[in-house]
Amino acid sequence: MSTTKYVYDFAEGNRDLKDLLGGKGANLAEMTNLGLPVPPGFTITTEACKVYLDEGRVPESLEQEIAAHLADLEEAMGRKLGDANDPLLVSVRSGAKFSMPGMMETVLNVGLNDESVAGLARRAGGNDRFAWDSYRRLIQMFGKTVCDVPGEAFEHAIDDAKAAKKVRNDVDLDADDLRRLVDAYKKIFKDHAKRDFPQDPREQMDLATKAVFDSWNADRAVLYRRQERIPADLGTAVNIVAMVFGNLGEDSGTGVAFTRDPATGNQGVYGDYLQNAQGEDVVAGIRNTVSLDELELIDKKSFDELMDIMAKLEHHYKDLCDIEFTVERGKLWMLQTRVGKRTAAAAFVIANQLIDEGLIDLDEAMYRVTGGQLAQLMFPAFDTSGSPKRIAKGIAASPGAAVGKVVFSAAAAVAAADAGEKVILVRRETNPDDLPGMIAAQGILTSRGGKTSHAAVVARGMGKTCVCGADEISVNISGGKFTVGGLTFAEGDVISIDGSTGEVYEGEVPVQPSEVVQYFEGSLAVDSSPLVTAVHRIMTHADEKRRLKVRTNADNGDDSGRARRFGAEGIGLCRTEHMFLGDRRELVERLILAHEDDERQAALDALLPLQRDDFAEIFRAMSGLPVTIRLIDPPLHEFLPPLEDLAVKVAIAEASGRDPGHDADLLAAVRRMHEQNPMLGLRGVRLGLVIPGLFAMQVRAIAEAAAQVRGEGGDPRPEIMVPLVGAVQELETVRVEARGVLDEVASRTGVDINALIGTMIEVPRAALTAGQIAEAAEFFSFGTNDLTQMGWGFSRDDVEGSFFTRYLDLGIFGVSPFESIDRDGIGRLIRIAVAEGRATRPDLKIGVCGEHGGDPDSVHFFHEAGLDYVSCSPFRVPVARLEAGRAVLDTAGSDSR
Ligand code: PEP
Ligand code: MG
C-alpha cells in the first residue's frame, strides 16, 4: 500500500512547501499558522495531480484521504457538504508552484443542488436571492470548467434575463428571476454535457478536482508556462476551502489589495473593493469597483483589521504581498496572499525601501532584482496609453523605442539624418554595407533573421533599437515600399518600433526617456528619484560583491567612452572589421586585387595610419584598462560588392561596348573567392596565414598607436586576439610574427607596450585541445557565438528565422542557445577548455566575448565556470555587473514568479 500523503490540512503546511502544495496552498497554510482569519480547508498535492496526469486516474488512496479531511472540515464548520438544511459549500481552487494568473480553473459554491439551495437560503436569513444566485454561479462555473460548456451560452441566458426585465446589472435580478435562470442554465448544461447537472455534492467536488488537474494542460496554461519558462512537469495542487460569501448583501463584499504600489513601488496600500460580490466579479469588471480607501467608510472595522493584517504580512514575508479577501456580513476573511508581481521600476524601489525598513539586507535586495529588469529600465519606452495601431510583431532584437520615417537604404538613411530627419531603416536583412545607415537611423526593422543576425548583433552593440525577423512584412526595396496586412508603407511614412517587445506600430507613438541611463551617463544625480537611488545602491553593492570583471565589446572611442561610464573595466572585444568600411573599402579592394607584393604592401601601408588612429582613439578612451583587439575575422569578400551587382554592371558595360575595367577585375576576384559556406571558409586566423602582411599591419598599428598614446601621457593596455584558431600551430605561427612586429616597434619607438597575445576559443577543436593552445596563448576569450554555431552545427544567421520556433515548440530547447548559453553542450566545451587551459598555464586570463556575455543566465554560468571576465555590448554592461554580483549569492531565496 502506498504511504504517500496526498492531502494536507491548512494547519499542516507552510510557505516552504510550494512544490507540494502550490503557491496558494502553501501561503494559505502560512496564514493559517499566523493566526489570520483563513476559512478552513485542505490542499490536494501536486503529487496527486502528477499521478492523475500520468496515469489518467487519481491515486487509489486519495478518495479516502479526501473523505477524512472533508470530515474534519465538516466538523470544524459544524455543517455537512451539501446538507439539505444547512449546507457546507466549498471552493475548489487551482494553485501551482508558480502563480499562473487566470490560466487554470476554479469552481465556487460546490455542494449546492436542488435541495441544499433552500437550506442555504434559510441559513442566509431567508435570502432566497443570494441562494439562487450562488446556485446559478455554480452551474455556470462547473459547466464551463468540468464539462466544457461554452461560456457564452450562459452569458446569453443571463443577458436575456436582464433584457426581459429591462435592467442593466446582475444585482437587479431578483430571486424568482434567478430561479428561472437556474432552470435555463440546467437546460444549457444538459444540452451540452449530455447529462443532468450532478446533484451529489461529493461527485461535484471530485469532478471539479479532476477538472482543475486537467487545466494544467490547457492550451493557454501550456503557452504561459513556455513564455515564463515554468517547467511543464510541476502539476497543480487543488485547494478545497470552506466558502465564505461576499455576496450576502451590502455588508459583504470582496476585494484585492497590494501592500505597496506594484507599478511604482510607492509606499501605501492599493486595492479595489466590490460590495455584495464574489471574487470573479472583481476580475471580470462586471461592476465598477471602489478604491480600498472607501472600504474604510463602508466598514471601518473590516478595513482596520485588513490594514493590520497587511502590515503583518509584509513584515512576515519581508516583501510586497498581494492579497484577496472577502467580507461576509462584516467578518473579514483572507482568501489568498503571495509575494506580489511588480514592474521593473517597482522591484528596485521596493528592494531599496525594504533595506531602509530593516526588513532585508543588501544581498537580499540585490537578489530580488534581475538584470532583465535593469535592462528594461535602460531603454526609452513607448507610452501606449493612446492604443496605437500595431501592424506587425517581429523578434525583439535590441530593446528601445524608435520612431521615424521609413527608408529602405543606408544611403537614404544617411541623407535623411544629415537633413535632421529621424528614420527607421527597413531592410529584408542587413549586411556590413548598411552600417552607416544603421548608425544614422533611430532604429532598424528587418523581415528576416533572428537575434544573432547581423542587424541584431550590430544594433545591440550600438544600443540601437532593432526589430528583426518581422516576417509578416513584405519588403520591396526596389519598389521603395513594404506591405503588411493589406497596408502599404512608402519611403517617408512614419512608423514606431519597439525593440523590447518586437512590436511595430503605424505612425508616431510617444516615447519616454530612461532616467536610469541618464544616471549611468552621469547626467542625473544619485538622489534625483527613488528609482535612481535604488539602482545606484544595488549596483554599488553588486560591484563590491562580484568576482567576475565586466568588459565591453566596442570598436570606437564613443562606444568605449560610454561603456566606461556604464562601468566597463576594459574592452573584451574590439572587432576590427568595422574599420575597413566606408572610404577604406577601396583600400581593401586594392589589397584583394593585388597581384604583386608591392601592390599589396602599398594597400597595407595606406591602411596602417588609418588603423593606428582608430586604435589610438580607443586607447585614449580606455586609458589604464585592458583593450583586447581582435585581428580581422570575416571573409574578405564581404568587403567586395555583391556578385549579382557586379555581374549586371559588367554585362551592361560589355553590351554597350564599354570596357568594364576595374569592375571586371572585381567580378573575377569575387568569383574566385566565392565560398559555399563562408562562415567555415577563409576567415579568422586563416586570413592571417594566407594573406601576407595583413595581420602584421594590424599588429603594427596597435603597437604604434599604443606608443603614441603612451607618449601623450596615456596608459594604453592592448591585448592582441587571434580569431577562429582550431590548432595551436595556427596560433603559434601568428604569434611569432606578431611578437616580431611588437619587438621591432618597441626598439624603434623605445616604448615597450607589453601586449599579451591570446586567442579566441570559438572552434570546438580549440576547446578540446585547449591544453595545447594555452602553450601559445596568454589569454583565452570564448567566442560563444561561433562556438554555439559550430558546436550545434547550425548557422547563426539563418536558423533563428527558420526552424527555431519549431524547436522551441518541441521543447528541444527552452530558449535559443544563441541567446543563453547551452550549459550541457557548449558549456561543457567551455569547462573543458578552462580546465585544460589552466592546467597548462595557471595564470591564463579567461573571458567571454560572444553575445552570451551580457545574458543574465549565462553570466551565472561563466561565474561558476571560473572565468575572469565577461564582455558585452555597452548597454549590457550594467546588466552584467548586476548579474555577476547576483551570481555570487546562493541561488536559494525568495521567488516572486
Ligand atoms: C563569437 O563568435 O562569439 C564572437 C565574439 O565573434 P563574432 O561574433 O564576431 O564572430
Ligand atoms: Mg566569432
Side-chain angles (χ1 to χ4, degrees):
M1 234 205 75
S2 147
T3 52
T4 312
K5 177 173 163 68
Y6 289 111
V7 185
Y8 286 71
D9 193 88
F10 288 165
E12 294 176 295
N14 65 60
R15 71 199 255 196
D16 296 325
L17 294 180
K18 289 202 186 78
D19 284 331
L20 193 64
L21 304 179
K24 184 178 288 173
N27 287 321
L28 282 169
E30 189 79 9
M31 287 200 291
T32 301
N33 292 325
L34 278 175
L36 302 184
V38 175
F42 54 88
T43 304
I44 305 169
T45 65
T46 54
E47 288 301 323
C49 174
K50 285 192 241 180
V51 172
Y52 172 78
L53 293 178
D54 285 350
E55 298 176 10
R57 57 186 177 81
V58 296
E60 229 168 87
S61 56
L62 185 64
E63 204 142 302
Q64 279 184 2
E65 267 196 79
I66 292 179
H69 282 270
L70 182 59
D72 290 347
L73 178 60
E74 289 176 333
E75 198 182 316
M77 298 298 288
R79 305 195 175 96
K80 294 226 170 289
L81 183 70
D83 183 89
N85 293 316
D86 183 11
L88 165 69
L89 304 186
V90 295
S91 60
V92 178
R93 294 169 184 267
S94 60
K97 175 176 181 185
F98 299 114
S99 132
M100 297 169 53
M103 294 299 129
M104 288 182 303
E105 303 293 358
T106 280
V107 184
L108 305 180
N109 303 337
V110 167
L112 275 178
N113 56 25
D114 293 351
E115 291 181 4
S116 61
V117 67
L120 180 67
R122 262 197 303 284
R123 183 186 135 206
N127 190 339
D128 285 346
R129 185 195 178 282
F130 157 73
W132 286 101
D133 188 43
S134 302
Y135 193 18
R136 72 95 192 159
R137 286 171 192 260
L138 169 64
I139 301 169
Q140 185 166 356
M141 262 185 270
F142 188 95
K144 278 196 331 199
T145 305
V146 182
C147 301
D148 289 327
V149 182
E152 308 88 69
F154 295 118
E155 274 139 36
H156 289 154
I158 199 166
D159 285 345
D160 289 348
K162 285 191 278 190
K165 204 164 184 201
K166 299 197 173 58
V167 294
R168 285 199 23 228
N169 289 325
D170 298 3
V171 281
D172 296 324
L173 297 173
D174 65 21
D176 283 337
D177 300 324
L178 290 163
R179 182 177 298 139
R180 277 191 294 276
L181 193 59
V182 163
D183 286 338
Y185 274 15
K186 284 203 284 194
K187 185 165 175 325
I188 291 169
F189 184 93
K190 187 164 185 184
D191 286 350
H192 284 89
K194 308 289 177 236
R195 61 162 290 180
D196 286 320
F197 177 74
Q199 294 291 312
D200 174 1
R202 177 68 201 264
E203 186 188 4
Q204 290 174 3
M205 195 174 104
D206 289 345
L207 288 173
T209 300
K210 286 182 192 164
V212 172
F213 285 160
D214 282 326
S215 69
W216 175 254
N217 282 331
D219 288 349
R220 61 182 183 198
V222 171
L223 199 69
Y224 183 85
R225 284 200 293 274
R226 200 174 296 147
Q227 258 167 22
E228 298 291 311
R229 300 196 200 163
I230 297 174
D233 58 357
L234 298 177
T236 181
V238 174
N239 300 290
I240 309 280
V241 194
M243 284 294 302
V244 290
F245 295 97
N247 53 342
L248 272 175
E250 297 302 302
D251 57 355
S252 304
T254 187
V256 296
F258 294 89
T259 55
R260 298 177 195 228
D261 184 344
T264 61
N266 289 345
Q267 268 146 320
V269 294
Y270 287 77
D272 297 310
Y273 182 69
L274 193 56
Q275 254 174 300
N276 196 12
Q278 269 190 321
E280 77 275 14
D281 299 338
V282 180
V283 189
I286 292 173
R287 278 175 285 142
N288 285 339
T289 55
V290 297
S291 84
L292 212 52
D293 301 338
E294 282 194 40
L295 176 60
E296 188 171 12
L297 306 176
I298 297 168
D299 179 350
K300 177 138 174 50
K301 182 177 140 287
S302 297
F303 177 82
D304 289 345
E305 190 182 352
L306 184 65
M307 292 303 114
D308 269 4
I309 289 175
M310 283 167 86
K312 210 182 236 175
L313 284 173
E314 267 230 345
H315 251 78
H316 184 70
Y317 283 88
K318 301 184 174 21
D319 207 344
L320 169 145
C321 296
D322 70 23
I323 61 164
E324 286 177 23
F325 65 95
T326 281
V327 178
E328 182 185 275
R329 296 219 160 123
K331 161 106 184 86
L332 176 69
W333 292 100
M334 302 299 294
L335 300 188
Q336 174 172 320
T337 191
R338 67 183 168 203
V339 169
K341 293 191 192 263
R342 63 207 72 186
T343 62
F348 276 88
V349 171
I350 292 171
N352 192 37
Q353 289 164 355
L354 295 174
I355 307 173
D356 286 340
E357 290 165 26
L359 287 176
I360 61 174
D361 62 13
L362 272 160
D363 276 357
E364 178 65 20
M366 178 172 71
Y367 189 71
R368 287 187 184 186
V369 295
T370 65
Q373 287 168 332
L374 182 64
Q376 277 177 35
L377 294 174
M378 287 182 64
F379 289 94
F382 282 130
D383 173 2
T384 53
S385 52
S387 307
K389 182 174 165 59
R390 195 181 94 170
I391 54 171
K393 186 160 167 61
I395 296 171
S398 177
V403 183
K405 292 183 175 170
V406 170
V407 291
F408 294 98
S409 70
V414 171
D418 286 348
E421 301 259 35
K422 294 191 165 157
V423 294
I424 305 289
L425 178 62
V426 181
R427 306 281 297 166
R428 210 164 289 148
E429 54 204 338
T430 62
N431 60 45
D433 268 345
D434 293 319
L435 196 65
M438 296 173 79
I439 293 168
Q442 301 301 115
I444 298 124
L445 169 63
T446 68
S447 58
R448 284 195 41 134
K451 274 200 169 166
T452 51
S453 63
H454 178 268
V457 172
V458 174
R460 273 201 295 282
M462 298 192 293
K464 186 121 335 188
T465 303
C466 175
V467 172
C468 62
D471 53 11
E472 299 150 83
I473 289 180
S474 157
V475 183
N476 178 345
I477 301 281
S478 52
K481 62 178 183 184
F482 76 81
T483 50
V484 57
L487 297 171
T488 299
F489 291 79
E491 188 149 315
D493 290 342
V494 174
I495 59 169
S496 302
I497 62 171
D498 188 333
S500 313
T501 63
E503 255 128 13
V504 182
Y505 299 98
E506 181 181 43
E508 176 173 348
V509 181
V511 173
Q512 303 153 335
S514 155
E515 50 178 334
V516 172
V517 166
Q518 294 175 52
Y519 150 70
F520 284 133
E521 285 282 9
S523 57
L524 268 189
V526 171
D527 58 359
S528 59
S529 78
L531 174 60
V532 169
T533 308
V535 168
H536 173 76
R537 189 178 200 180
I538 292 171
M539 291 303 289
T540 307
H541 186 63
D543 286 340
E544 277 164 21
K545 204 86 193 173
R546 68 189 158 89
R547 182 189 57 72
L548 276 176
K549 296 233 177 247
V550 177
R551 297 196 194 178
T552 191
N553 294 358
D555 49 34
N556 58 54
D558 283 351
D559 282 354
S560 306
R562 168 179 294 132
R564 195 168 186 165
R565 293 193 293 281
F566 284 9
E569 296 158 297
I571 290 185
L573 173 62
C574 170
R575 289 182 167 102
T576 50
E577 51 267 25
H578 293 158
M579 303 169 178
F580 289 81
L581 296 171
D583 302 344
R584 305 179 187 184
R585 175 195 295 276
E586 194 212 312
L587 297 172
V588 182
E589 280 181 16
R590 273 169 47 195
L591 177 71
I592 295 171
L593 295 181
H595 293 294
E596 305 298 334
D597 285 353
D598 54 345
E599 285 175 74
R600 184 179 306 113
Q601 195 53 50
L604 290 171
D605 288 348
L607 279 166
L608 177 71
L610 304 172
Q611 283 259 274
R612 199 166 50 214
D613 288 350
D614 297 331
F615 296 140
E617 183 186 316
I618 294 169
F619 291 148
R620 287 186 198 107
M622 280 289 168
S623 182
L625 295 174
V627 174
T628 306
I629 296 169
R630 178 178 74 183
L631 303 180
I632 190 159
D633 180 52
L636 285 190
H637 55 72
E638 280 195 7
F639 300 96
L640 299 180
L643 182 88
E644 299 77 24
D645 293 5
L646 279 171
V648 170
K649 264 179 151 179
V650 170
I652 291 175
E654 284 171 347
S656 56
R658 275 188 286 113
D659 176 8
H662 181 62
D663 286 340
D665 292 346
L666 271 181
L667 179 59
V670 169
R671 288 216 164 104
R672 190 173 67 242
M673 299 176 78
H674 177 76
E675 292 172 317
Q676 294 294 346
N677 293 308
M679 289 305 267
L680 299 177
L682 180 57
R683 56 174 287 222
V685 66
R686 302 158 198 168
L687 284 172
L689 298 177
V690 167
I691 308 212
L694 180 57
F695 275 13
M697 179 278 289
Q698 291 199 293
V699 173
R700 176 163 289 114
I702 293 167
E704 291 179 357
Q708 181 183 329
V709 172
R710 181 85 65 82
E712 297 163 7
D715 182 9
R717 304 200 178 173
E719 299 178 342
I720 295 169
M721 181 157 76
V722 184
L724 223 76
V725 164
V728 65
Q729 294 84 350
E730 293 171 310
L731 180 63
E732 184 56 22
T733 310
V734 172
R735 194 183 70 82
V736 168
E737 185 189 25
R739 226 359 113 209
V741 174
L742 291 175
D743 290 347
E744 183 254 302
V745 175
S747 66
R748 184 160 44 80
T749 59
V751 181
D752 188 348
I753 53 162
N754 284 326
L756 297 183
I757 299 178
T759 183
M760 295 189 73
I761 301 286
E762 52 184 347
V763 174
R765 191 181 188 283
L768 297 172
T769 59
Q772 295 169 12
I773 290 182
E775 280 166 15
E778 290 168 297
F779 65 87
F780 282 176
S781 177
F782 288 100
T784 45
N785 303 332
D786 271 308
L787 198 57
T788 302
Q789 160 166 272
M790 296 191 214
W792 277 88
F794 44 43
S795 156
R796 60 200 257 201
D797 294 313
D798 301 310
V799 287
E800 285 190 298
S802 58
F803 62 83
F804 263 32
T805 325
R806 179 81 183 125
Y807 267 43
L808 290 164
D809 282 348
L810 289 171
I812 293 172
F813 30 68
V815 52
S816 160
F818 286 114
E819 198 179 323
S820 197
I821 198 80
D822 151 36
R823 289 175 178 240
D824 297 343
I826 307 306
R828 186 155 147 69
L829 285 172
I830 291 173
R831 286 189 192 274
I832 290 170
V834 169
E836 298 193 359
R838 290 225 172 101
T840 300
R841 193 187 281 264
D843 62 346
L844 187 73
K845 193 165 13 166
I846 305 183
V848 56
C849 61
E851 287 294 300
H852 304 85
D855 167 65
D857 277 352
S858 311
V859 170
H860 287 249
F861 171 78
F862 298 132
H863 171 82
E864 279 166 39
L867 267 56
D868 297 305
Y869 68 86
V870 296
S871 186
C872 53
S873 59
F875 276 87
R876 299 301 288 186
V877 165
V879 174
R881 283 165 55 203
L882 176 59
E883 289 297 347
R886 295 181 75 235
V888 175
L889 300 180
D890 175 9
T891 39
S894 87
D895 192 336
S896 61
R897 261 197 298 187

